[in-house]
Amino acid sequence: MKREQFGLYQEYGLYIDGEWLAARDLAAREVFDPATEEIIGFVPVATPADLDAALASARDGLARWRQESPWARSAALRRAADLIRAREDAIARLMARETGKPLAEARGETQAAADQFEWYAEETKRIYGQTIEGRTPDVRMTVRFEPVGVVAAFSAWNFPALLPARKLAAALAAGCSVVIKPASEAPGSCMALVQACHDAGVARGAVNLVTGDSGLISRHLIESPLVRKVSLTGSVDVGRRLLGHAAAGIKKVSMELGGHAPALVFEDADPIAAATALARAKFRNCGQVCISPSRFFVHEAIYPAFCDAFAGVARSLRPGSAADSDMGPLANARGLAHARSLVDDAVARGARLLTGGRRPATLPRGYFFEPTVLADVPADAAIMNEEPFVPVAPLAPFSRFEDAIARANALPFGLAGYVFSNALGTATRAAEALECGMVGINEVLLACAEAPFGGIKESGMGREGGSLGIHDYLQPKLIRTRI
């Protein structure tokens, strides 16, 4: 295809060695608007030769970029943050077309992506080493942190600007170079970030972007001896596959994988306030949020009031287009079918449907599903055991603290958890007992640039964000000197 036929992406393409390019064989794949099911553009399908070119560019870019002083890297990242903020409206509108999410959410995500670059603009100046006292007067020992090398980064579609920003900003701050593959469903937001890096003066070759066949790209990049670090945001199944590729080459890996976050609401909590906060968090981005509260265990004393308030919030939300809605569509037809199957399974096992459960009658096109609330959901229902990633909330009562903790920790996921309680002792004990990487107490907003983000168990390894995030892109070197 010719560049002008790329539609929404005609200014972009593959980004290799500082230039936007078409694939060498001119192959391309379509991108759909999930709100209309219409094609909005095409992106190149990278060939093995394209991938080799991106790797060579990253190798040369690493040599240039790691030699830049921390202050120079900081200045470039800060300029990138400023450019992203200046282009907020254009990036948000592009994101809304790709994902269907409301414009307000898209704008908020664009700002959060800029925050990542601003935060790591500062962290690059704070890569501190260590001095170790020798056992004898003539011995000196120091530890310095060096960039791990070329990074292969893979991002998901649900937050197409924020997720790549976490990887790009931290890797560049550490002095690494990156080959990033954005999600095929929503590549444009990441392309806009790469353009901001280019315009901000990041060294040629330090950032490269490829699109196309996910399986081919991940294997080719990870199996290359040039790549020394792999970063993924994706599903548990994809994480397993990429870990297998990385293990063969002993690559450093960080992975933020799936989640199924329990929300525990104790007897002393305000049921209305808790239900309102949790429902709005649950239905954000149409339920397609890895840290979304997605299993709700509520003390039996306040359970009826909580159910009524939660369902009331769900009924008040307006699904629709990005311009005039509270909630957009699911990403694809698979998500729509998955939502239906989870509801049908839960109801068949005895759950009560409080609201929703179907496609909105006023939206015959697009992958829309009503905000749905299920009560009295049994433990063996599929939605209590599988990561849902749909706007369906399962509620269940509990009577004993120990039972709630046991149910919350029963799954192999360990990304996020939530506790609502006005008793300090209860809240503290519950937060410490939950097996997950992040816990919100009377709070549902966990992700910010200054805090570490990541999980345990099958939800992944490593951290993104905060002062810990840069260390996933660094390696320590001991230097021992005898005078």
Side-chain angles (χ1 to χ4, degrees):
M1 295 182 64
K2 296 180 180 179
R3 182 59 90 41
E4 57 268 22
Q5 294 176 288
F6 282 8
L8 205 59
Y9 309 103
Q10 61 182 307
E11 297 180 5
Y12 300 125
L14 307 176
Y15 184 78
I16 299 173
D17 203 28
E19 296 185 57
W20 292 107
L21 306 167
R24 296 191 184 208
D25 62 2
L26 300 182
R29 74 169 34 171
E30 59 275 314
V31 179
F32 294 88
D33 180 343
T36 65
E37 304 179 47
E38 297 174 349
I39 296 174
I40 55 176
F42 295 84
V43 293
V45 176
T47 66
D50 293 320
L51 300 178
D52 287 338
L55 287 164
S57 170
R59 176 200 61 209
D60 297 342
L62 173 67
R64 299 184 192 100
W65 183 243
R66 70 182 298 168
Q67 295 305 317
E68 297 271 5
S69 76
W71 286 79
R73 295 202 302 268
S74 175
L77 291 175
R78 184 55 187 260
R79 286 193 295 270
D82 292 342
L83 288 169
I84 293 166
R85 292 192 177 108
R87 299 167 183 176
E88 175 194 321
D89 186 66
I91 296 172
R93 290 184 183 279
L94 173 59
M95 187 192 307
R97 288 294 307 279
E98 295 179 313
T99 64
K101 65 176 63 183
L103 268 174
E105 287 188 17
R107 289 194 174 101
E109 182 182 340
T110 304
Q111 288 292 334
D115 288 348
Q116 293 289 328
F117 281 88
E118 180 178 348
W119 174 262
Y120 282 108
E122 298 303 317
E123 286 300 292
T124 193
K125 295 184 287 188
R126 293 171 174 78
I127 301 174
Y128 299 130
Q130 197 175 22
T131 299
I132 303 169
E133 290 295 324
R135 296 191 181 192
T136 58
D138 59 343
V139 169
R140 305 289 186 270
M141 288 183 286
T142 59
V143 177
R144 59 180 273 121
F145 287 93
E146 299 179 345
V148 68
V150 175
V151 176
F154 306 90
S155 187
W157 46 262
N158 55 327
F159 288 93
L162 176 57
L163 301 181
R166 286 178 178 156
K167 303 176 192 307
L168 288 168
L172 292 171
C176 296
S177 62
V178 187
V179 181
I180 190 163
K181 184 205 173 289
S184 298
E185 295 90 341
S189 307
C190 183
M191 292 172 173
L193 300 187
V194 170
Q195 184 65 55
C197 291
H198 174 99
D199 296 341
V202 172
R204 179 168 54 87
V207 178
N208 302 271
L209 179 146
V210 293
T211 54
D213 184 313
S214 298
L216 168 67
I217 291 172
S218 60
R219 286 193 305 274
H220 197 100
L221 295 184
I222 297 173
E223 291 176 359
S224 168
L226 293 175
V227 168
R228 297 311 312 160
K229 155 80 180 181
V230 179
S231 177
L232 167 71
T233 301
S235 69
V236 175
D237 287 342
V238 173
R240 287 194 182 98
R241 288 200 299 273
L242 268 59
L243 274 170
H245 298 320
I250 320 296
K251 317 279 185 178
K252 188 169 185 175
V253 174
S254 58
M255 294 197 168
E256 191 263 288
L257 306 177
H260 200 348
L264 310 182
V265 185
F266 290 94
E267 183 177 10
D268 53 79
D270 179 336
I272 310 303
T276 301
L278 287 167
R280 294 194 177 281
K282 168 59 193 173
F283 297 120
R284 178 182 173 222
N285 204 32
C286 200
Q288 300 167 124
V289 182
C290 54
I291 60 169
S292 168
S294 50
R295 295 178 289 147
F296 301 85
F297 303 110
V298 185
H299 193 276
E300 60 189 10
I302 61 171
Y303 183 67
F306 181 94
C307 289
D308 289 345
F310 201 109
V313 173
R315 293 188 193 101
S316 73
L317 299 176
R318 299 167 302 138
S321 67
D324 59 356
S325 71
D326 301 310
M327 191 181 83
L330 290 155
N332 48 50
R334 296 191 307 277
L336 193 59
H338 187 48
R340 288 172 177 151
S341 70
L342 290 175
V343 172
D344 291 346
D345 172 79
V347 171
R349 295 175 188 274
R352 291 186 293 123
L353 180 63
L354 299 185
T355 189
R358 61 182 182 178
R359 173 197 283 273
T362 57
L363 297 168
R365 290 183 62 80
Y367 308 121
F368 292 98
F369 198 76
E370 291 177 336
T372 299
V373 185
L374 298 164
D376 307 340
V377 182
D380 63 349
I383 196 168
M384 284 297 199
N385 297 281
E386 303 171 10
E387 182 181 22
F389 238 55
V390 295
V392 181
L395 318 183
F398 73 86
S399 57
R400 298 174 60 247
F401 178 95
E402 293 76 13
D403 293 340
I405 296 297
R407 290 195 68 181
N409 290 339
L411 301 187
F413 302 105
L415 187 56
Y418 301 88
V419 175
F420 277 74
S421 172
N422 289 322
L424 179 60
T426 299
T428 301
R429 287 193 300 127
E432 292 177 354
L434 287 177
E435 296 172 354
C436 52
M438 299 171 283
V439 179
I441 298 177
N442 301 325
E443 171 65 281
V444 293
L445 299 175
L446 297 181
C448 58
E450 61 270 28
F453 188 99
I456 61 173
K457 301 199 290 189
E458 290 188 6
S459 288
M461 61 189 73
R463 292 297 181 267
E464 294 184 313
S467 58
L468 297 180
I470 199 168
H471 284 277
D472 273 287
Y473 297 89
L474 296 167
Q475 53 193 5
K477 175 186 286 184
L478 170 68
I479 300 176
R480 179 172 175 138
T481 304
R482 185 176 297 278
I483 299 174

